[in-house]
Amino acid sequence: MVSVETEIKFSVSDVTALARRLHAVGFRLDTPRTFESNVLYDTPDRQMRTRTEILRIREYGGKSTLTHKRLPEDRPGEDRHKHRVETETVISDGAALAEVFKSIGLVPAFRYEKWRSEWSDGEGHCVVDETPIGIFAELEGTPEWIDRSALRLGVSPADYMTLSYGRLFEQWRIEHHSHAENLTFEEIGAEMAKR
């Protein structure tokens, strides 16, 4: 399926309080807290990243998904919201596809993990991601729905983030003088244990 994904992220300090707010404003929990693992693939010289594209294999809830994201041709990639053309399909064997990628010269460029719960109000989605570097929520839908939902949740436009988890991880690495290469619980946990 090909679509234009529009979203924002915001930082979450209290997951329980956010869940209560989501429920109070009419969201329902579609997927309870589930572990998710992602691997981004690229050329060895990171040509896809240079073009602001990603190619990802995601393992989530017993399902493997292949996703390609790129900048839209008819609008900016970021304004107050983040916009990406997303092509996604379910695959039967993520490990087999990873071997195909390696055989044609693509390499695993970045791994990231999180615990995700998914909420919906019938018009758009809110996902809550517990990552090794903090908790973030994403609102995904039309720009108008995102702004309305953010307001209902008490999230100011000043709190909107359009950065990917890779970019948020880069910022975290700089702030914490980290040598971790991937946003995984094992790598971040091992690094934090040394401090």
Side-chain angles (χ1 to χ4, degrees):
M1 178 195 320
V2 179
S3 63
V4 176
E5 173 189 70
T6 301
E7 68 180 26
I8 58 102
K9 285 184 180 69
F10 59 93
S11 184
V12 176
S13 58
D14 185 336
V15 174
T16 305
L18 176 59
R20 281 196 302 266
R21 282 198 318 261
L22 286 163
H23 183 71
V25 299
F27 282 79
R28 70 181 180 283
L29 181 64
D30 290 336
T31 307
R33 187 175 184 264
T34 302
F35 183 71
E36 176 184 300
S37 176
N38 301 273
V39 181
L40 301 185
Y41 289 85
D42 204 337
T43 59
D45 59 354
R46 305 297 191 260
Q47 290 178 25
M48 293 184 71
R49 182 179 178 153
T50 301
R51 296 189 309 259
T52 317
E53 292 182 51
I54 69 151
L55 183 63
R56 174 183 71 206
I57 297 176
R58 170 174 285 168
E59 303 291 336
Y60 176 61
K63 196 166 69 169
S64 298
T65 308
L66 172 66
T67 306
H68 176 260
K69 293 186 184 188
R70 62 178 171 81
L71 292 172
E73 296 169 6
D74 61 343
R75 67 177 88 175
E78 278 94 27
D79 43 31
R80 199 158 86 167
H81 309 97
K82 179 179 176 179
H83 311 278
R84 293 291 183 270
V85 175
E86 180 180 82
T87 306
E88 189 168 80
T89 189
V90 174
I91 52 177
S92 63
D93 189 338
L97 184 58
E99 285 302 314
V100 171
F101 285 170
K102 290 176 191 173
S103 72
I104 62 173
L106 298 177
V107 297
F110 179 58
R111 290 184 303 127
Y112 64 103
E113 299 172 337
K114 53 195 169 183
W115 288 90
R116 169 169 275 190
S117 55
E118 298 179 286
W119 298 74
S120 174
D121 70 352
E123 189 179 344
H125 300 277
C126 179
V127 298
V128 181
D129 291 334
E130 300 171 50
T131 80
I133 60 170
I135 303 168
F136 302 92
E138 294 179 353
L139 291 171
E140 182 180 337
T142 66
E144 298 78 21
W145 178 88
I146 290 170
D147 293 340
R148 274 195 328 270
S149 298
L151 183 63
R152 290 169 34 212
L153 293 170
V155 177
S156 162
D159 297 323
Y160 288 12
M161 293 184 274
T162 58
L163 296 175
S164 67
Y165 282 114
R167 299 289 186 206
L168 287 171
F169 177 58
E170 285 176 6
Q171 287 183 347
W172 183 88
R173 285 182 62 197
I174 291 166
E175 289 170 16
H176 292 84
H177 308 286
S178 171
H179 298 290
E181 294 182 12
N182 295 288
L183 181 54
T184 63
F185 290 98
E186 181 179 354
E187 278 192 55
I188 302 301
E191 184 143 322
M192 298 308 280
K194 293 177 191 173
R195 295 173 186 230

